[in-house]
Amino acid sequence: MKAHCSEAEWQARIDLAACYRLISLYGMSDMMANHISSRVPGEDGAFLINAYGLMYEEITASSLIKVDHDCKILSRPNFGALDYGINKAGYVIHSAVHAARPEVGCVIHTHSWASMAVSALEGGLLPITQTGMRFLKIGYHDYQGVVLNLDEQVSLVRDLGDGEALILRNHGVLTVGRSNGEAFNWMHRLELACRAQLAAMACNVPLRSVPQPVLEETWSNYQPGTRRPYGLMEWPALLRKLDRLDPSYRT
């Protein structure tokens, strides 16, 4: 596919393939289910997403499919007899976010065991760890069935608002970022917050709460303008990690 796209698109493909590999590496994948998407630089309304049928650890820069907001496939590799397409739920979720949030470069949706468990709790994600406090004002989206109905896009976008993370009740989680590195950073931290909460709750003892003013101050310290953009420092290091393990994501 490298010969059939711009230099900017090829770099976007490399970064997105890396994001899939990292989600798998850190234990947040669900075989071939779920999806991560990246906006195509310089092409309004176009984004890249996985071919439905590939495991996350198989995804490469060339295997990604380019689609527009109307679910029209703009380009894809030749998968032979397998003839892979895209997951409709992936299109419904990702096209909605990309259309509503032009500043978002990457959208990640997962069904990890920890995020699914927290999504099923009435109280949702609790700010009982410093990492969890980063998500003090996280959004929630009520379950409406498998996300196949375009009508759900309105409430999905509304519930995400201008935030970076959303808990899909009884389902999983979603994070967004201006870059793949930023979106992955949000997802990695959200996953850690969910796992830590479940581990604490499993001890079956009272949970230690933190005063509201401290929660608000901690949350404020995680907001844009108070630190460097998320993922800026980590992303190159994560790519080096992948290159040491298996650089085939770049092909």
Side-chain angles (χ1 to χ4, degrees):
M1 293 295 291
K2 186 175 183 179
H4 303 284
C5 61
S6 67
E7 184 177 339
E9 180 183 331
W10 183 248
Q11 185 59 55
R13 285 174 171 274
I14 290 173
D15 286 333
L16 181 54
C19 201
Y20 276 102
R21 298 287 184 103
L22 288 165
I23 289 290
S24 176
L25 183 63
Y26 283 91
M28 294 182 279
S29 64
D30 183 8
M31 292 194 292
M32 61 188 64
N34 296 150
H35 7 82
I36 310 170
S37 66
S38 284
R39 190 181 298 276
V40 179
E43 294 189 39
D44 290 340
F47 62 93
L48 302 165
I49 199 165
N50 56 314
Y52 192 31
L54 293 178
M55 302 284 279
Y56 276 26
E57 65 265 25
E58 295 179 297
I59 291 176
T60 66
S62 291
S63 73
L64 296 163
I65 296 176
K66 180 162 66 171
V67 299
D68 66 14
H69 293 171
D70 295 320
C71 202
K72 178 184 177 183
I73 292 180
L74 303 176
S75 68
R76 65 171 179 168
N78 183 356
F79 293 111
L82 294 172
D83 196 30
Y84 293 136
I86 63 172
N87 184 318
K88 183 177 179 181
Y91 156 70
V92 173
I93 293 171
H94 292 257
S95 64
V97 177
H98 283 297
R101 299 276 299 274
E103 82 283 7
V104 166
C106 178
V107 181
I108 304 176
H109 170 48
T110 66
H111 289 172
S112 71
W113 64 266
S115 63
M116 286 194 292
V118 169
S119 78
L121 299 176
E122 184 64 37
L125 185 64
L126 304 176
I128 56 173
T129 63
Q130 178 174 278
T131 302
M133 294 172 205
R134 174 171 166 176
F135 300 94
L136 183 66
K137 303 181 190 297
I138 194 170
Y140 290 86
H141 177 68
D142 287 340
Y143 188 69
Q144 300 176 37
V146 178
V147 189
L148 300 176
N149 192 332
L150 290 173
D151 292 341
E152 190 173 346
Q153 290 182 319
V154 175
S155 58
L156 180 71
V157 167
R158 180 197 64 215
D159 294 335
L160 175 62
D162 60 359
E164 297 84 8
L166 181 68
I167 292 181
L168 309 176
R169 295 276 195 187
N170 311 98
H171 183 175
V173 294
L174 180 146
T175 62
V176 303
R178 288 164 293 182
S179 67
N180 294 77
E182 188 173 54
F184 181 79
N185 183 289
W186 279 103
M187 183 58 76
H188 183 263
R189 295 302 194 276
L190 180 54
E191 176 71 10
L192 288 181
C194 289
R195 292 184 187 183
Q197 176 176 324
L198 296 173
M201 294 176 73
C203 294
N204 199 29
V205 296
L207 301 177
R208 179 84 174 180
S209 61
V210 175
Q212 189 64 31
V214 177
L215 292 178
E216 293 287 345
E217 181 179 0
T218 304
W219 175 83
S220 179
N221 286 334
Y222 280 117
Q223 300 314 297
T226 62
R227 62 186 314 283
R228 74 176 67 85
Y230 289 116
L232 190 64
M233 189 181 340
E234 302 95 324
W235 192 247
L238 288 167
L239 294 186
R240 293 195 300 270
K241 181 181 182 71
L242 286 179
D243 287 338
R244 291 192 297 270
L245 295 172
D246 179 4
S248 66
Y249 71 95
R250 294 181 176 272
T251 61

